[in-house]
Amino acid sequence: MRLFAIRDYRHLYSAQVIALFGTGLTTVALGLLAYDLSGPRAALVLGTALTIKMVLYVVIAPLAAAYVDRLPRRAFLVVLDVVRAGVVLALPFISEVWHIYVLIGLLQSASAAFTPTFQAVIPDIVTDEADYTRALSASQVAYTMESLLSPVLAAIALSFMSYNSLFLGTSVGFVLSAALVLSTRIPNARPSAHTKAWDRAAAGIKMFVRTPRLRGIMALNLVVAAAGSIVIVNTVNYVRDVLGGSQSDVAWMLAASGGGTLLAALALPRVLDRITDRTVMLTGAAVLVVGTLAAVTLTAAGLTTWVGTAITWIVIGSGMAMIVTPTGRVLRNSVEPNGIPEVFAAQFSLSHLAWLITYPIAGWLGTNSGFTITWSVLAILAATGAAGALSLWPRHDGPETVTAPPAPARPMSQLDTEAGIAEGTLAACQCAGIRTP
C-alpha cells in the first residue's frame, strides 16, 4: 500500500498499534489487580479508578487540544509515552488500593494529553487527501482489532503467566512506542482557527449546543456509556463471583464484547452507504437498551449462564459500534473544515463526561446494591439517552454535508464512508473499551 511507503506514517502507525495493545492488556490486568486487592469490592475500586480517568480526560484533553499547536509535538509525545511506561511498570509493586488511584491519575493524565496531540499529527504527515482517508481507515482497523484481540491475547497469556507480567509487557510496549515516535519527523503544527486557548477549548462545545444533530450525539454518548460500563466495570466481579470463572475467563468474556464490535464494524460500511447515519445510530441505541435490559434479566431471573452472558455482551458490543463508528462522519459534516479539530476535541470530552456519570454507578452502586439494581439504573439511563437522541435529532435535520464551503466536492464513495468511520473511532476512543493510544 502506498500509504505505508510513507516512512514517518509507518513509524507513527506502528507506535499507535503498540500503544493500543499495551493499553488493552493493562485494562484487563488492572481489573484483576483490583480483584486481588479488594475481592468482592473490585468493582468499586475499578469504578473509582475509571472515574479518575474520566475526570482527567474531561479536564485535560480540551486544554491539550487548545495548546497542541504551541508544543514541540514529537518531544511531547515521547515524554508522554515514557511517563506511561514508568507508571505501568510500577503497578505490579503496589500494595494498597490508594496506590492504584495515584498511578492511574498519572497514567491517564498522560493519555488524555497524548490523544489529541496524536490525532493532530496525522494530517500533517499524510498530506494527500486519498492517502489521508486511508490513514483514517487504517486507524479504525487498529482500534477495532485491538478491542477484539487484546482480551484474547490476555486470556492466552494468563494461561501461563500472572497478570503482573502483562504490566511489564505493556511498559516495554510504551517504550517501543516512544522510540518509534522519536524516529518520526513531525512538522510544526498548523495554527488553529482560534487564537485564544479558551476560544479553542470552548468552540467545539458551542457547536454541540447549537447544532441539533450534535445535541443528539450528546444524548447517544450517554447510551454508550451506560451500556459500556456494565461490561468494563462489572465483568471482573460478575465472572469471578457469580459465574465462578478464572482470570482467563474474564478476558474471554471481554473478548465477546469486542467480537460484537468487530462484527458490527465489518457490516457497517456497506450499511452506511444505503442508510442514514441517524437511522443507524438510533438503531444502535435501541440495541443497547435491549442489551442492558437483557443484563438485568440475567441477574433478576437467576439466568446467570455463560452462554446468556456472552450473548448479552456481544449485543452490547455491537450496539456500541453502531453508535460510535458513524459519529466522526456526523461531526465532520456539521462544521467548517477549520473547525474540525475543535469539534472532535469537544466530542472527546463530552463522551468521557458521559462515562464520568456511569462509571461511579457501575462501580460504587454495583458494590453496595448488587448487579440487578445497578444494571437497572444503567438501563434507565440508556433508555433516557435513546429517547433524548430521538427527540433532539430531528428526522429532517438538513443534508448531512459541511455547513461551510468545503474543498471541491466529489461523489460519496466507500473510501469516504471508511474515513468517517475511522474518524468516529478516533473521536470516541475505541468503542468496546474506550481506550486510547
Side-chain angles (χ1 to χ4, degrees):
M1 182 187 289
R2 184 178 67 176
L3 175 63
F4 288 97
I6 303 174
R7 174 188 176 277
D8 291 333
Y9 174 76
R10 186 172 65 248
H11 285 208
L12 196 63
Y13 181 76
S14 299
Q16 177 201 21
V17 171
I18 291 171
L20 274 172
F21 275 89
T23 305
L25 294 176
T26 298
T27 301
V28 176
L30 180 62
L32 297 173
L33 173 62
Y35 188 84
D36 271 1
L37 291 177
S38 305
R41 297 178 65 83
L44 186 150
V45 174
L46 190 57
T48 301
L50 293 172
T51 299
I52 293 172
K53 170 184 175 179
M54 293 303 106
V55 171
L56 293 171
Y57 270 43
V58 169
V59 173
I60 292 177
L63 296 177
Y67 285 99
V68 69
D69 63 345
R70 304 183 184 182
L71 301 171
R73 294 185 296 181
R74 183 177 67 172
F76 188 51
L77 290 172
V78 169
V79 169
L80 294 175
D81 262 340
V82 171
V83 169
R84 295 194 291 181
V87 170
V88 172
L89 189 61
L91 281 170
F93 301 101
I94 67 175
S95 57
E96 301 291 339
V97 169
W98 68 268
H99 296 164
I100 292 181
Y101 302 150
V102 172
L103 292 178
I104 289 300
L106 292 174
L107 177 68
Q108 301 305 337
S109 294
S111 292
F114 189 99
T115 298
T117 307
F118 177 87
Q119 291 175 0
V121 165
I122 295 179
D124 290 338
I125 290 179
V126 183
T127 56
D128 180 78
E129 181 184 359
D131 285 341
Y132 178 55
T133 56
R134 292 186 177 93
L136 292 173
S137 295
S139 293
Q140 158 67 9
V141 172
Y143 275 94
T144 300
M145 294 308 296
E146 182 276 323
S147 67
L148 174 66
L149 293 180
S150 283
V152 175
L153 294 175
I156 295 172
L158 290 169
S159 300
F160 57 86
M161 68 174 64
S162 70
Y163 64 80
N164 286 331
S165 299
L166 295 182
F167 288 127
L168 177 61
T170 300
S171 181
V172 173
F174 281 127
V175 172
L176 291 176
S177 176
L180 286 166
V181 172
L182 192 61
S183 70
T184 304
R185 293 164 297 192
I186 299 176
N188 293 329
R190 292 175 293 182
S192 169
H194 301 277
T195 57
K196 296 181 180 179
W198 172 249
D199 289 342
R200 300 181 206 178
I205 302 294
K206 293 178 181 177
M207 179 62 70
F208 268 84
V209 171
R210 64 174 179 256
T211 306
R213 70 172 70 113
L214 297 186
R215 292 200 295 268
I217 294 292
M218 286 193 287
L220 291 172
N221 287 337
L222 180 61
V223 183
V224 171
S229 293
I230 293 176
V231 173
I232 296 171
V233 177
N234 296 133
T235 295
V236 173
N237 276 118
Y238 185 77
V239 170
R240 296 300 301 272
D241 297 335
V242 177
L243 297 178
S246 64
Q247 293 182 355
S248 294
D249 293 330
V250 172
W252 284 113
M253 192 60 71
L254 291 171
S257 179
T261 299
L262 180 62
L263 291 173
L266 291 174
L268 278 172
R270 293 178 181 175
V271 172
L272 288 168
D273 280 340
R274 300 188 299 270
I275 302 176
T276 66
D277 296 330
R278 178 184 183 275
T279 300
V280 170
M281 296 172 77
L282 291 179
T283 301
V287 169
L288 288 181
V289 172
V290 171
T292 56
L293 291 175
V296 173
T297 303
L298 287 176
T299 57
L303 303 175
T304 50
T305 64
W306 287 98
V307 173
T309 303
I311 292 174
T312 301
W313 265 225
I314 290 171
V315 169
I316 290 175
S318 300
M320 292 171 69
M322 292 173 69
I323 293 177
V324 172
T325 48
T327 296
R329 190 161 66 171
V330 176
L331 298 180
R332 185 182 61 179
N333 293 339
S334 299
V335 298
E336 298 179 7
N338 63 358
I340 288 177
E342 284 83 1
V343 79
F344 270 76
Q347 167 63 4
F348 186 86
S349 293
L350 291 170
S351 62
H352 285 82
L353 181 61
W355 291 90
L356 179 57
I357 295 171
T358 60
Y359 273 152
I361 293 173
W364 304 342
L365 188 61
T367 299
N368 295 313
S369 302
F371 293 128
T372 300
I373 293 177
T374 301
W375 294 354
S376 296
V377 172
L378 291 172
I380 291 171
L381 286 177
T384 301
L390 185 63
S391 173
L392 292 170
W393 190 346
R395 181 182 298 273
H396 302 291
D397 187 31
E400 293 186 352
T401 54
V402 180
T403 57
R410 57 189 174 89
M412 177 63 71
S413 64
Q414 178 70 15
L415 194 59
D416 295 308
T417 300
E418 291 174 352
I421 289 173
E423 288 177 336
T425 306
L426 291 170
C429 302
Q430 130 53 309
C431 66
I434 315 301
R435 303 176 188 124
T436 56

